[in-house]
Amino acid sequence: MEVAPSKSESISIPWNNAWLKHPDVMKWVEKMVKHCEPDMVHLCDGSAAEYEGLANYLTAEGKIVRLNPEKRPHSFYCRSHPDDVARVEECTFICSKKKEDAGPTNNWKDPEEMQNHLKDLFKGCMRGRTLYVIPFSMGLPVSAFAQIGVQVTDSPYVVMNMRLMTHMGSQALEKLKPNSFVPCLHSVGVPLKEGEKDKMWPCNPEKRVIAHFPEEKSILSFGSGYGGNALLGKKCLALRIASYLGKQHGWLAEHMLIMGLTSPKGEKKYIAAAFPSACGKTNLAMLTPNLPGWKVECVGDDIAWIRVGKDGRFYAMNPEAGLFGVAPGTSMKTNPNAMASISKNTIFTNVALTQDKDVWWEGMTDKPPAHLTDWLGKPWDPTSKDKAAHPNSRFTASIRQCPILDPAYDSAEGVPLSAIIFGGRREHTIPLVYQSFNWQHGVFLGASVSSETTSAAKGVVGKVRHDPFAMLPFCGYNMGDYFSHWLEMGKKTTPDKLPKIFYVNWFQKDAQGKFLWPGFGDNIRVLEWIFERSSDKGNFEKTPIGYLPKTLNLSGLDLSPFDMKALLTVDPALWKKEVEELEEYFTLFKDHFPKALKEELQGLKKRLS
Ligand code: OXD
Ligand code: MN
């Protein structure tokens, strides 16, 4: 087969002064251009005009739809390929030099082998396309803790999303120090032949690979254009690479929301909470309290970088600039603040389209509007079992649009944490809320998180799996060493300065399969107890698994005492099974499993017997 000569030989990259200050980046980009062989190169400045230009281009190509400006100003709608709708954990690799350093919960490939494989895949992969160069900062560029990445991609949709999700453009370049950027190479993996018409959503599912090289701080992603697979600042940099950096330099990169909580007396505390994907972090981060006088403000809804501050307290910052939330289930009832955040300037992917060019998804309203087009682009039949929106359909919007954005989002240091919450989606066994006895026991609670799988990742939905610290898909090194790192972090300060650790489960069901707890705005009742307990106040009773509330503030809530009792029960028989399960799971980590957590497991066993 004859291969046409590459146009990239004759490409001149339009370097300007901002880039000329970064010869290391220029050299890397030149290498990528030569290898990927695009037809054109665009250096992104992150401006509104650039965003507008890309939106116009994709609209003209029919790849995105401009929504009705009267309903959803300056917003866009996009449909992905049906096989490119979620993170693909089976194609995600940690390529540390030693397999042991990736640990038993990550897919591992030898870095050299993976580089060779990817070298072949990326060769000429951008033919017929434009290569975009995106400088971006995770963390406010003014923060000493920011990490600067440079993503090369052939997806203009990814560029648009990166502008909302990261601090992108010249501001990131200005902050960049020599030889310190994280190179992030991404391609949808579909080169075009001369004159060939592009697909609506080009992707290459058979060859998908998302590879991380923690020791050399780089990321390569091939074949997917969706979410965490393609917006490389988010899961790849701010969690997998950052967790490795955190282990090296004494900090934590976590899959956590950060919220400010002000009591009716005007006292304010910050709380971070880790839940697996699609388990309600965005809803909790923006909660509208059902108890008078309480106020919630949102610092972040997905990722927290946590360090010990000069005063010995733990400080958390949100490295992201946007919200990439699951749309189904989001409504004026469940999360009015999220609905306000996405009322304009938003990109919607894989939701349903209304006749008057607005968006809809399951749970947005009780009754669907007539004549919807579903996420596959077909007229939707409301009587069919098929969903109009994909369960992992998403909205992308700047976090600045959140009406309850906490002013301390702009703090370069982050916010001091009073409490850390872990949680999962479990039908039984795990009570509504309990508190750890101390930091070490709290680390044990984090290591014990398990949850039903959701559609945020490709695969079976609803199966309970262990997801320690809600980091199973996001930890960039050996999870056993990660447990030790958490234990070490607890020794960096005095116990009185450590955030208190809690575990919650909003998802218990009764025998008929009905949720016992109303959740959403009523979760403030649990937060109130956590708020009190984080200052060693409030009621509690000691149980084998931790401190449980004797009561919660249920004023104004119609909940039967029978259900309340069930929500706060520790059933020894179920817990014995839970512990057996955990003991079996922890053997996976062999000698990387910390002794202190073995002691915690034995202690729990003893208390239950
Ligand atoms: C996400 C996820 O997109 O966790 O935040 O999958
Ligand atoms: Mn997430």
Side-chain angles (χ1 to χ4, degrees), residues 406-438:
D406 195 290
Y409 170 80
D410 283 310
S411 155
E413 307 292 323
V415 296
L417 292 179
S418 297
I420 290 177
I421 305 175
F422 297 111
R425 194 184 273 268
R426 291 288 303 272
E427 282 188 20
H428 54 72
T429 313
I430 316 292
L432 179 61
V433 59
Y434 64 106
Q435 182 187 356
S436 76
F437 297 125
N438 51 44

Side-chain angles (χ1 to χ4, degrees), residues 367-433:
K367 224 176 124 224
H371 310 298
L372 285 173
T373 303
D374 71 11
W375 71 277
L376 291 161
K378 301 206 187 74
W380 184 63
D381 172 4
T383 62
S384 85
K385 284 203 300 295
D386 298 333
K387 304 257 190 249
H390 186 278
N392 191 38
S393 52
R394 300 282 182 146
F395 51 77
T396 324
S398 163
I399 198 166
R400 300 244 174 239
Q401 296 195 159
C402 177
I404 55 158
L405 182 68
D406 195 290
Y409 170 80
D410 283 310
S411 155
E413 307 292 323
V415 296
L417 292 179
S418 297
I420 290 177
I421 305 175
F422 297 111
R425 194 184 273 268
R426 291 288 303 272
E427 282 188 20
H428 54 72
T429 313
I430 316 292
L432 179 61
V433 59

Side-chain angles (χ1 to χ4, degrees), residues 87 227-228 234-235 255 275-278 281 301-302 324 326 392 394 456-457 474:
R87 286 185 291 97
K234 190 174 178 62
K235 303 298 182 184
H255 193 204
F275 303 107
S277 307
K281 282 197 296 299
D301 79 327
D302 196 43
F324 182 66
V326 178
N392 191 38
R394 300 282 182 146
F474 309 122

Side-chain angles (χ1 to χ4, degrees), residues 7 12 23 30 70 127 130 149 187 196 201 205 224 235 266 291 309 355 372 401 427 436 483 502 552 564 569 577 582:
K7 290 192 187 161
S12 73
E30 273 157 10
E70 295 192 354
R127 284 186 169 215
T130 298
S187 171
E196 183 183 342
W201 178 280
S224 168
K235 303 298 182 184
L291 284 178
Q355 210 175 20
L372 285 173
Q401 296 195 159
E427 282 188 20
S436 76
F483 298 158
F502 299 83
L552 292 174
M564 195 59 227
T569 294
K577 262 180 77 188
L582 270 175

Side-chain angles (χ1 to χ4, degrees), residues 43-59:
L43 301 172
C44 298
D45 61 11
S47 63
E50 179 179 77
Y51 184 86
E52 208 49 46
L54 289 169
N56 288 338
Y57 163 69
L58 285 173
T59 310

